[in-house]
Amino acid sequence: MIKLSNFPFKTQKTVPNGSDNKSTWILLQAGFIRQTMAGVYSYTTLGLKVLRKIENIVREEMDNYGVAETLMPSLSPKELWEKTGRWDTIDVMFHLPAANNKQYWLNSTHEEIVTPLVWEFIQSYKDLPTSVYQIQNKFRNEKRAKSWILRWREFLMKDAYSFHSSNEDFVKYYEWMKEVYLNIFKRIGLWEDTIIALADWWTFTEKFSHEFQVKTEIGEDTIYKCKNCEVNFNEELIDLEKGFECLKCNSKEFIKFPASEIWNIFPLETKFTKAFWIQYLWEDNKMQTPLMGCYGIWVSRAMWLVAEKYVWEKGIAWPESVAPAKYYIAIIWEENIEKAYELIEKLNLDKSEIILDDRFWRKIGFGQKMWDAELLGIPNVIVISKKTLEQNSYELNWELIKI
Ligand SMILES: [Zn+2]
């Protein structure tokens, strides 16, 4: 049970400055987050509840499909990135000078760490396929970090990596991961707004990599949807000067809309396994280079996109699956607090899903409590007052319920 009197909590009547989008305003106004610097946020107790729920849905769906969780470090040595030639080519990495003339990176991605790590455990084709995932903070050295949801310097991400001995095996896994991702969208309430867009060419099979995009006004990407065959293309595929034909049906008619990339899946082919000289023994006793895929989800961005979608004039109407709690219980009559607690016990609710508004000595009025409950977006508001206690009852979403 979360007691509002136990941690720093306060909502704001007015919309705070310092943001260019609704979701950040409402998350600040409801006290879910505070900005530590541009593109870097702290999560307060209730904001963290939402973030953890999204994170756990991602974890459950990955675990349900048998992908194994791991945890790699945020810090890595220069030598690993020199092997793939990315030390000098990725300009959004934080370079950290360290003791003894060493240089480290704060990781924005983990191919250089996961490839040699997994290879400690693989000798032959019998050890393939295999895959791992992790959920951890990533870092990007953005030159112009904004509250805008794309340009963050630190954010929570789920990244998975798979290793295969054949292209058929990789394609099977890749299609299967798409299903896992769609399940996650359904559970966090972004299903109707999610589209799969084709992005870069995936050269060796003449297919594309896939981006999962959420339609939103604050999206940083532009999507072209073919009016004829309904396939979505990211604008980056389109040569606007030459004109664009649908790559599936050759139609030239498109609907254009903004969207935010939330998750992507990439075939990495042998780019990283070759760079690390990784090989395994095939059935015919010859050495082969394994294929790799990577699968990302921006967990913290998902929280912003859910907030952006479900914001209304009084607050955020979170889907129950990601709301900070299922129940908001306001005790109005503190003189008989013991009786109120007895009643809560009788209701037999899941205690981890209760926010108890017990801000008695702060003299928070009834109106303010109800205003806060709506701003926070808790689906079930329970009021226990002198009147309800005398009638051995409580109010649930404004209806009197007898016990
Ligand atoms: Zn088409």
Side-chain angles (χ1 to χ4, degrees):
M1 192 183 315
I2 295 177
K3 295 183 174 183
L4 288 189
S5 64
N6 278 1
F7 62 93
F9 170 75
K10 199 167 271 183
T11 58
Q12 285 173 249
K13 280 281 178 201
T14 52
V15 173
N17 291 327
S19 165
D20 54 6
N21 62 67
K22 272 188 302 190
S23 40
T24 308
W25 290 338
I26 195 87
L27 291 170
L28 285 165
Q29 200 184 350
F32 287 126
I33 55 164
R34 280 296 178 267
Q35 195 178 70
T36 300
M37 65 178 197
V40 177
Y41 292 96
S42 298
Y43 295 81
T44 63
T45 306
L46 298 182
L48 186 62
K49 277 270 176 190
V50 177
L51 188 73
R52 288 280 182 259
K53 283 196 173 176
I54 296 174
E55 180 186 331
N56 282 333
I57 287 172
V58 172
R59 179 175 285 114
E60 274 173 30
E61 288 299 322
M62 295 296 288
D63 290 353
N64 282 348
Y65 278 80
V67 188
E69 188 169 7
T70 182
L71 184 61
M72 289 176 269
S74 295
L75 212 55
S76 62
K78 182 179 181 180
E79 295 74 40
L80 289 177
W81 299 85
E82 282 180 329
K83 285 209 164 132
T84 56
R86 296 212 290 181
W87 179 262
D88 296 314
T89 55
I90 305 186
D91 59 355
V92 294
M93 295 288 265
F94 282 104
H95 292 223
L96 301 178
N100 303 322
N101 288 328
K102 292 277 188 187
Q103 289 207 59
Y104 302 142
W105 267 16
L106 265 179
N107 301 324
S108 68
T109 181
H110 275 76
E111 285 86 356
E112 275 79 350
I113 297 98
V114 76
T115 310
L117 169 73
V118 168
W119 228 251
E120 297 272 336
F121 303 90
I122 309 261
Q123 278 86 41
S124 88
Y125 70 96
K126 291 174 198 159
D127 299 317
L128 292 170
T130 195
S131 59
V132 292
Y133 81 94
Q134 65 168 351
I135 299 175
Q136 68 150 214
N137 281 9
K138 295 270 195 276
F139 301 87
R140 286 173 66 91
N141 190 6
E142 291 283 356
K143 288 188 179 63
R144 288 173 297 116
K146 300 207 286 181
S147 56
W148 207 27
I149 58 174
L150 179 67
R151 300 196 179 278
W152 279 345
R153 293 192 168 109
E154 183 176 350
F155 49 93
L156 189 64
M157 194 166 175
K158 187 280 303 179
D159 46 331
Y161 305 88
S162 68
F163 299 82
H164 308 270
S165 58
S166 74
N167 192 38
E168 293 70 43
D169 188 55
F170 166 69
V171 170
K172 209 167 79 188
Y173 190 91
Y174 188 88
E175 293 297 325
W176 173 70
M177 193 57 77
K178 275 203 293 196
E179 294 298 313
V180 177
Y181 275 30
L182 290 173
N183 283 346
I184 294 170
F185 283 123
K186 280 182 193 161
R187 289 185 63 188
I188 68 171
L190 288 176
W191 172 246
E192 302 92 353
D193 299 302
T194 297
I195 55 144
I196 297 181
L198 303 179
D200 298 328
W201 286 102
W202 159 9
T203 52
F204 71 105
T205 56
E206 296 188 1
K207 282 188 176 177
F208 301 95
S209 68
H210 294 95
E211 288 173 348
F212 290 74
Q213 295 267 0
V214 177
K215 288 187 206 169
T216 172
E217 287 304 310
I218 59 169
E220 67 287 347
D221 286 337
T222 304
I223 302 299
Y224 284 71
K225 182 185 182 131
C226 173
K227 277 190 180 172
N228 182 41
C229 72
E230 303 199 334
V231 172
N232 301 294
F233 297 91
N234 191 314
E235 192 177 50
E236 70 191 35
L237 276 174
I238 295 170
D239 185 337
L240 294 171
E241 282 183 12
K242 280 191 189 160
F244 181 63
E245 275 185 9
C246 174
L247 297 168
K248 297 270 170 182
C249 75
N250 298 340
S251 164
K252 288 182 177 168
E253 304 224 332
F254 296 92
I255 302 162
K256 195 174 135 182
F257 56 87
S260 182
E261 182 188 344
I262 178 168
W263 300 327
N264 57 34
I265 49 186
F266 280 116
L268 299 173
E269 304 176 45
T270 54
K271 183 177 172 182
F272 295 94
T273 43
K274 266 193 181 147
F276 282 96
W277 295 95
I278 280 166
Q279 291 194 314
Y280 64 92
L281 197 63
W282 187 240
E283 277 173 301
D284 58 6
N285 276 338
K286 286 190 179 138
M287 299 307 281
Q288 297 270 357
T289 306
L291 300 168
M292 242 179 108
C294 86
Y295 317 82
I297 295 183
W298 283 265
V299 177
S300 35
R301 191 186 287 186
M303 174 171 160
W304 259 248
L305 288 171
V306 176
E308 185 79 21
K309 177 175 175 183
Y310 290 95
V311 65
W312 66 301
E313 59 186 69
K314 290 186 176 175
I316 311 171
W318 298 107
E320 198 165 286
S321 59
V322 301
K326 284 184 186 156
Y327 308 98
Y328 187 98
I329 303 182
I331 301 174
I332 305 305
W333 193 40
E334 65 170 296
E335 284 77 34
N336 209 342
I337 185 78
E338 292 308 321
K339 227 175 153 190
Y341 280 129
E342 271 172 34
L343 191 144
I344 292 170
E345 283 299 324
K346 267 195 210 161
L347 294 179
N348 203 19
L349 304 171
D350 177 354
K351 289 220 170 51
S352 68
E353 290 289 346
I354 296 176
I355 294 175
L356 184 68
D357 193 342
D358 60 344
R359 295 173 290 174
F360 303 127
W361 70 90
R362 292 188 199 162
K363 303 292 172 208
I364 308 285
F366 179 69
Q368 174 74 47
K369 288 182 177 192
M370 294 302 104
W371 193 83
D372 284 349
E374 276 190 314
L375 182 63
L376 296 174
I378 314 303
N380 302 295
V381 177
I382 291 174
V383 175
I384 300 173
S385 65
K386 182 179 176 184
K387 187 183 106 192
T388 67
L389 281 174
E390 280 169 0
Q391 298 177 15
N392 206 21
S393 64
Y394 62 97
E395 270 183 23
L396 172 63
N397 297 334
W398 315 112
E399 262 186 62
L400 198 69
I401 313 270
K402 287 266 183 196
I403 298 172

